[in-house]
Amino acid sequence: MANIPSVHDFLSSYRMAYDQIKGYGREETNRAYERLLDVENRTDDIVEAQLIMEREHLVLDTVIADNRAIAREFLEAADPGYEVTSAVTMATVGVYADAKSLDEITYLGEISKGRTSDLAVQISAKVQLMTQFTSLFIAYENAKRKIREGDALADKHAQSMVMTREKIRKLYTFMKEDMGLSFEMMESTPFYRISMLNPSGLDELWRLKMVMHPDNIEGIKYILKEEILSDRTMEEILLAPQEKPFYGMINSRLHPEIREEFQRTADEMNKDIAFFKKNREEGRPATADELAGRMADMNSRLSSVNVKPQTKAGNVRTSFGSAGSSIAKDIAKSAAKDIGKGLLRGLFRR
């Protein structure tokens, strides 16, 4: 009968591996090996030791501990209501946060590779569309305000107001009928609610954003239902009191101190979050396109167990930005023709 190895002997190969990586700054992996090697202090029975290792995924943790830590930091730092980060993050780093085996990571990682590029372009298309939608309301309200104030160029503002009203009508009809994206859906979906407030990121992952006054959502709803889609004449609209206010944007060039105050508040709120402590960048936060590019890059790095965990996700630069923006604009322009109404409805209802 063959000798049954002791738990100490059984763990000897893991102990050798641990000795080789100690001192390289891989804290999570070091702790994973320590938990694995500690099994010999918990039992002298080799069968029970193997059951503990399997049940607690101790061997798996030694392989993916650092990547899992990065994943959890991303999930903690991302805004779950903002699809630019949350959708791609959950499709990629979420694999590491909850995976129970290497086979599961390999399988889900391969799936996420294909999904992430599509998601990045789809989300860029959504951002482009919502930017256009909100910008039209800002232009419409600006023209209305100028007319009511008796601006010297009132005739031109009146022309702009009429043209913008028609543009909003056409765009909203397209969004609702071809995309299945009604205002009620926008109002009830966190991503669209944020997008209607013209967000500007205050950190690398846009966890915190500077937005227009939240009451503008009610303002847009009122303007859309009572002015844009109604049969009221422009004279009736201009002479009647507006029941719901629409607040303009803060001009950061004229009032840079406002933006600076928001930035200081965001920095203070983010200071204890692990991702920002480790990946703090100098200069401005990422643009929406750069952000989508980082998410796509994060997928390619984390979808393989051989990824080097020392790489800082927040410092990666990709070529996605300009290409993604161009593709997104093309999609927005020809979506109904080239993609089809059914796919559009699926895309914008997600």
Side-chain angles (χ1 to χ4, degrees):
M1 180 176 178
N3 291 329
I4 299 176
S6 66
V7 176
H8 180 84
D9 291 338
F10 180 76
L11 294 173
S12 61
S13 60
Y14 298 108
R15 191 173 294 104
M16 292 174 61
Y18 179 42
D19 289 339
Q20 292 179 358
I21 69 163
K22 281 192 299 186
Y24 285 93
R26 301 177 62 181
E27 296 179 5
E28 293 294 331
T29 297
N30 289 342
R31 282 195 286 268
Y33 270 103
E34 289 166 4
R35 288 191 295 270
L36 173 61
L37 297 176
D38 187 59
V39 171
E40 68 175 300
N41 297 321
R42 299 167 60 181
T43 180
D44 293 328
D45 188 299
I46 186 65
V47 175
E48 184 181 2
Q50 291 177 308
L51 289 174
I52 291 173
M53 292 163 60
E54 180 69 21
R55 185 169 56 247
E56 299 180 15
H57 315 292
L58 298 180
V59 176
L60 174 67
D61 282 349
T62 64
V63 181
I64 68 167
D66 289 287
N67 287 342
R68 176 172 280 170
I70 293 172
R72 286 174 175 160
E73 288 175 4
F74 252 75
L75 294 176
E76 178 191 17
D79 174 4
Y82 194 58
E83 289 185 22
V84 175
T85 48
S86 64
V88 183
T89 298
M90 291 308 300
T92 57
V93 301
V95 171
Y96 280 89
D98 301 314
K100 299 297 187 294
S101 70
L102 289 176
D103 287 340
E104 183 178 4
I105 289 175
T106 301
Y107 173 71
L108 295 177
E110 287 300 318
I111 293 176
S112 69
K113 281 182 181 179
R115 289 188 60 200
T116 303
S117 295
D118 291 340
L119 278 172
V121 174
Q122 289 170 6
I123 291 168
S124 290
K126 290 184 180 183
V127 170
Q128 293 284 343
L129 179 74
M130 294 307 298
T131 299
Q132 182 182 4
F133 183 73
T134 303
S135 296
L136 286 172
F137 277 92
I138 294 173
Y140 176 84
E141 280 298 293
N142 182 63
K144 186 200 297 181
R145 179 174 58 82
K146 291 291 187 181
I147 296 170
R148 285 174 169 168
E149 291 174 350
D151 189 277
L153 299 176
D155 289 345
K156 290 188 177 181
H157 293 308
Q159 182 182 12
S160 172
M161 187 176 171
V162 171
M163 293 176 61
T164 305
R165 184 190 193 190
E166 186 60 26
K167 287 180 180 179
I168 296 175
R169 279 179 172 172
K170 290 180 178 179
L171 178 61
Y172 182 69
T173 299
F174 172 68
M175 292 168 65
K176 184 178 180 180
E177 296 184 1
D178 291 346
M179 298 181 179
L181 186 59
S182 65
F183 186 85
E184 289 68 29
M185 181 174 292
M186 288 189 280
E187 188 178 26
S188 62
T189 305
F191 173 71
Y192 294 121
R193 286 178 62 84
I194 295 171
S195 298
M196 281 192 284
L197 298 175
N198 194 33
S200 174
L202 294 169
D203 54 56
E204 299 93 313
L205 294 183
W206 283 42
R207 174 178 179 267
L208 298 175
K209 295 163 283 291
M210 181 176 174
V211 298
M212 300 176 74
H213 198 295
D215 286 354
N216 276 4
I217 293 176
E218 283 297 317
I220 290 175
K221 183 178 182 179
Y222 174 84
I223 297 164
L224 180 67
K225 304 291 185 180
E226 301 298 325
E227 299 184 13
I228 303 299
L229 301 179
S230 72
D231 293 328
R232 296 167 67 187
T233 65
M234 300 304 294
E235 290 79 5
E236 290 173 332
I237 292 172
L238 287 167
L239 294 174
Q242 186 165 319
E243 296 180 11
K244 299 291 183 180
F246 183 91
Y247 300 95
M249 292 175 15
I250 297 174
N251 190 324
S252 296
R253 287 178 296 178
L254 293 179
H255 303 284
E257 70 280 2
I258 301 297
R259 173 79 188 198
E260 291 168 1
E261 181 179 350
F262 272 84
Q263 190 66 63
R264 285 194 298 270
T265 302
D267 291 343
E268 178 65 22
M269 293 176 68
N270 285 336
K271 69 177 183 179
D272 295 325
I273 296 177
F275 174 86
F276 299 114
K277 290 169 70 174
K278 293 181 179 179
N279 298 276
R280 195 85 259 181
E281 287 189 3
E282 297 295 331
R284 61 169 177 77
T287 65
D289 280 334
E290 289 171 343
L291 193 58
R294 290 182 189 174
M295 296 301 101
D297 180 80
M298 188 66 179
N299 171 61
S300 65
R301 294 193 305 107
L302 283 182
S303 59
S304 167
V305 295
N306 294 320
V307 170
K308 294 181 180 179
Q310 293 88 344
T311 303
K312 290 186 177 181
N315 295 333
V316 176
R317 287 287 181 266
T318 71
S319 60
F320 179 87
S322 58
S325 177
S326 175
I327 295 171
K329 289 178 182 178
D330 291 341
I331 290 178
K333 289 179 181 178
S334 61
K337 175 181 176 182
D338 298 329
I339 302 180
K341 294 182 180 181
L343 289 178
L344 280 170
R345 288 176 183 270
L347 165 61
F348 282 86
R349 282 176 174 172
R350 289 174 186 168

